[in-house]
Amino acid sequence: MTTIKKQNSAKNIHHQNKAKTNYSNKQVKGLLFAPYGELKKNTCLVNWDRITIVGNLLAELNKSTLLRLGWKEKENIKGYAQQFELMRKRKRVATLIRNKHSGCNLWRLDTSNHLTESDKEKLTKTAQLMQDNIHITRLDLAFDFINCEYSGMKHKFYKSGTSQALFLDRRGTLETLYTGKQYSSIRYCYYNKLKERKQKRACIPEDYETWERIELRLKGQKVNEWITQATKMLKCFKLPTIETNSQLKGTTKLILISIIEQPERINNLSSKRTRAKYRKLIKKYNGFNTDLQELALDELNKRIPELNKELLDFDSRLITQLFSID
């Protein structure tokens, strides 16, 4: 089922449009452990956007060490710390939160993106304070498409049987697309990263003309399958070109367009054979451009060893989990 969300109010949009964009001739620093490389046309960058790990931590015993690393205590109940924040100037780069429902010494370390070398060193030392039961509970993997030929927020995820929510601007242009529910173990997100950074008045390199991002968000046991799930997501990511496809005629084209706009409509087709026909058309990419998909799959394949290493650099005790991939 597809849900279309209302656009921002005219007042908010006017305020956002007045915001001064902060352009820079410097590259944006990379996500978690990987710097951005030299920018080229049709660039796809693959990086960790978020890592969440859980483990046992004796916070009271290690409080002085945490404070020396730069953690600031944010919540304290009866002498017991409940939450710490790691700040860089006014920007929060990580949180450390006690899990109140799973034992008094179980803590969750939650990173953000755009970490400096100093941030990474502090987070690695913090993870090393965790005694045992350390494991990953969430991974967000980001694919950034910069100055790509087929930009314009026209791509979609074609994953049958999965709910979608669309957020449009006042002109009806797609800003964000979610596939999967908020609390599910697998969720896809596609959004206009350049517009988001402009609205936040964040630094944008001068040569970034377009910047679109898709994210794979995994929770629970699905983090063990990040390579498999990333591949599945990319194979669902396509640009519909049915209107200009001369190989598709008449009713076939109209029905396929209808199914693409609302995937659940395939269940309304008259027979099992007909439904199989249109599933086959979609599967074979008839009426789709897959250039960005192929670009991202190629970059992912190159980056898998580095992405694994970046996780292990966070804490080498995660090696058992990382390589138990189906």
Side-chain angles (χ1 to χ4, degrees):
M1 180 178 181
T2 303
T3 303
I4 301 177
K5 303 292 184 180
K6 294 181 179 180
Q7 67 253 23
N8 295 329
S9 69
K11 181 179 180 180
N12 287 340
I13 293 173
H14 178 68
H15 175 74
Q16 291 163 0
N17 290 341
K18 287 178 65 178
K20 184 178 180 181
T21 303
N22 182 16
Y23 287 98
S24 170
N25 59 6
K26 296 181 180 180
Q27 293 290 331
V28 175
K29 291 182 179 179
L31 307 183
L32 205 56
F33 288 162
Y36 277 60
E38 182 181 354
L39 178 67
K40 300 177 182 178
K41 288 287 185 181
N42 293 316
T43 296
C44 177
L45 305 172
V46 187
N47 290 291
W48 295 117
D49 185 59
R50 177 176 177 179
I51 295 175
T52 301
I53 66 173
V54 169
N56 288 329
L57 172 65
L58 301 176
E60 284 66 44
L61 184 63
N62 291 286
K63 185 174 180 177
S64 59
T65 302
L66 291 171
L67 295 177
R68 283 199 303 272
L69 288 172
W71 290 95
K72 305 295 183 183
E73 188 175 355
K74 297 298 293 183
E75 184 179 354
N76 189 299
I77 299 177
K78 296 181 179 180
Y80 290 91
Q82 304 297 313
Q83 181 175 339
F84 293 88
E85 289 184 348
L86 187 63
M87 307 293 293
R88 186 192 333 121
K89 295 183 179 179
R90 295 184 179 181
K91 181 178 178 62
R92 184 175 66 186
V93 297
T95 57
L96 189 59
I97 302 174
R98 188 190 297 271
N99 193 327
K100 300 176 183 179
H101 305 290
S102 302
C104 61
N105 292 324
L106 193 65
W107 287 74
R108 183 178 80 247
L109 176 58
D110 204 359
T111 72
S112 67
N113 54 14
H114 301 296
L115 300 176
T116 65
E117 290 299 321
S118 176
D119 296 332
K120 291 181 283 187
E121 182 179 357
K122 293 173 183 177
L123 291 172
T124 298
K125 290 181 178 179
T126 302
Q128 290 170 349
L129 294 174
M130 292 181 171
Q131 299 289 320
D132 52 28
N133 194 29
I134 182 170
H135 58 283
I136 299 174
T137 60
R138 175 166 175 168
L139 289 176
D140 289 4
L141 185 62
F143 294 79
D144 289 304
F145 299 100
I146 302 170
N147 296 350
C148 288
E149 181 179 357
Y150 297 102
S151 59
M153 295 301 296
K154 298 177 182 178
H155 285 69
K156 295 183 180 180
F157 293 115
Y158 295 97
K159 187 177 182 183
S160 61
T162 305
S163 63
Q164 294 194 341
L166 288 75
F167 293 81
L168 310 177
D169 64 16
R170 60 180 176 177
R171 296 181 179 179
T173 303
L174 178 66
E175 286 190 340
T176 306
L177 168 64
Y178 290 104
T179 298
K181 296 182 179 179
Q182 182 177 359
Y183 297 105
S184 64
S185 59
I186 304 173
R187 199 181 199 202
Y188 306 160
C189 180
Y190 171 45
Y191 63 101
N192 190 331
K193 184 67 176 177
L194 185 66
K195 186 170 185 177
E196 179 207 53
R197 291 186 69 85
K198 285 181 178 180
Q199 290 174 347
K200 292 182 178 179
R201 305 187 187 186
C203 179
I204 301 172
E206 291 179 344
D207 49 1
Y208 279 38
E209 297 174 3
T210 63
W211 183 359
E212 298 174 5
R213 171 178 288 188
I214 59 174
E215 289 180 7
L216 171 67
R217 301 176 181 179
L218 299 175
K219 298 177 183 178
Q221 293 299 315
K222 292 299 181 181
V223 300
N224 293 329
E225 306 170 10
W226 73 266
I227 298 174
T228 300
Q229 294 300 334
T231 303
K232 286 182 178 180
M233 177 186 73
L234 293 176
K235 288 185 176 180
C236 294
F237 186 64
K238 308 171 193 176
L239 173 64
T241 58
I242 293 172
E243 288 86 348
T244 59
N245 191 321
S246 60
Q247 296 179 349
L248 296 172
K249 304 295 183 181
T251 304
T252 299
K253 181 180 288 189
L254 292 174
I255 292 175
L256 196 54
I257 290 172
S258 175
I259 293 172
I260 284 171
E261 293 299 324
Q262 297 189 41
E264 65 275 11
R265 287 183 176 177
I266 197 168
N267 297 320
N268 298 330
L269 296 178
S270 59
S271 68
K272 183 177 180 180
R273 184 176 179 179
T274 304
R275 292 192 291 272
K277 168 189 171 181
Y278 285 97
R279 288 194 181 101
K280 188 175 181 179
L281 282 173
I282 292 175
K283 188 174 182 180
K284 287 188 174 181
Y285 307 149
N286 285 358
F288 297 95
N289 179 289
T290 59
D291 286 4
L292 291 191
Q293 175 193 121
E294 292 164 13
L295 177 66
L297 283 168
D298 183 61
E299 189 63 24
L300 173 65
N301 187 54
K302 294 175 183 176
R303 292 271 292 133
I304 284 173
E306 295 175 57
L307 292 166
N308 259 333
K309 183 179 182 300
E310 288 160 18
L311 292 173
L312 296 178
D313 286 346
F314 197 89
D315 195 301
S316 60
R317 290 171 293 174
L318 297 169
I319 190 168
T320 301
Q321 174 150 351
L322 294 180
F323 290 95
S324 61
I325 299 170
D326 296 335

